[in-house]
Amino acid sequence: GAGVSQTPSNKVTEKGKYVELRCDPISGHTALYWYRQSLGQGPEFLIYFQGTGAADDSGLPNDRFFAVRPEGSVSTLKIQRTERGDSAVYLCASSFGGAGELFFGEGSRLTVL
Amino acid sequence: GENVEQHPSTLSVQEGDSAVIKCTYSDSASNYFPWYKQELGKRPQLIIDIRSNVGEKKDQRIAVTLNKTAKHFSLHITETQPEDSAVYFCAASITGTASKLTFGTGTRLQVTL
């Protein structure tokens, strides 16, 4: 596609619910990243995929967060038992290989009530 | 882990003036330093980057300088224009690539007429 696509653009949920956020990277990009951006802050690294495998998941805050990329393209970030502190914009980015420039999506804004 | 501090948090300049944003990092192993521009409600976009084997890099009105000894790097924008108004983020990585970035907290630049 023309750019990194993220859905939904906005998600409002209640505390304790399960949420899935989807990222469709630029076609041909092998590397995919998830970042989280809270209001007034810089993006915070969550996880990095190279192909289908998670090359680095050290940024996932706890075991309620999980991400998959089963076919090496689309990725889904899954958040269980959401908490109000999970409210943020979740940014996805992709690059051609692990050394290429990052191209970010517009983000998914998650609000947990 | 790496810690990146960014100053100032807000910066207002008149059109045509220069703007300077400064960042410091904590991990002396960091070797890749990109700068991103994020307009309101939009995705972060890479504007310039520098690697640790270079002290300065310039691209038209934008330049970045790096002082490895002091562990700080700066973004310089000359002849500012209203379209330069945005939030700017510095970042650092120890991998030599953008595969795992630690971002600063951002600088909101306002260019006034």
Side-chain angles (χ1 to χ4, degrees), chain A residues 35 37 43 58 98 104-106, chain B residues 38 43 89 97 100-101 103-104:
Chain A
Y35 282 79
Q37 187 173 24
S58 61
F104 281 92
E106 296 278 358
Chain B
Q38 187 173 31
R43 69 192 77 194
F89 292 98
T97 70
K100 184 177 180 181
L101 296 173
F103 281 83

Side-chain angles (χ1 to χ4, degrees), chain B residues 57-86:
Chain B
K57 184 176 179 180
K58 189 172 182 179
D59 182 4
Q60 298 182 357
R61 296 186 297 108
I62 294 173
V64 57
T65 58
L66 171 65
N67 183 327
K68 287 189 295 182
T69 303
K71 290 190 285 189
H72 68 69
F73 55 113
S74 300
L75 178 71
H76 304 252
I77 306 174
T78 58
E79 300 171 25
T80 53
Q81 301 168 2
E83 52 265 38
D84 295 330
S85 297

Side-chain angles (χ1 to χ4, degrees), chain A residues 3-4 33 35 37 40-43 45 48 56 58 91 98-102 104-106, chain B residues 32 36 38 41-46 51 89 96-106:
Chain A
V4 177
Y33 315 80
Y35 282 79
Q37 187 173 24
Q41 300 295 314
F45 172 82
Y48 155 48
D56 187 337
S58 61
L91 292 165
E101 174 184 346
L102 287 193
F104 281 92
E106 296 278 358
Chain B
Y32 175 66
Y36 288 83
Q38 187 173 31
K42 300 295 185 182
R43 69 192 77 194
Q45 292 188 298
L46 178 71
R51 299 186 189 278
F89 292 98
T97 70
S99 62
K100 184 177 180 181
L101 296 173
T102 300
F103 281 83
T105 51

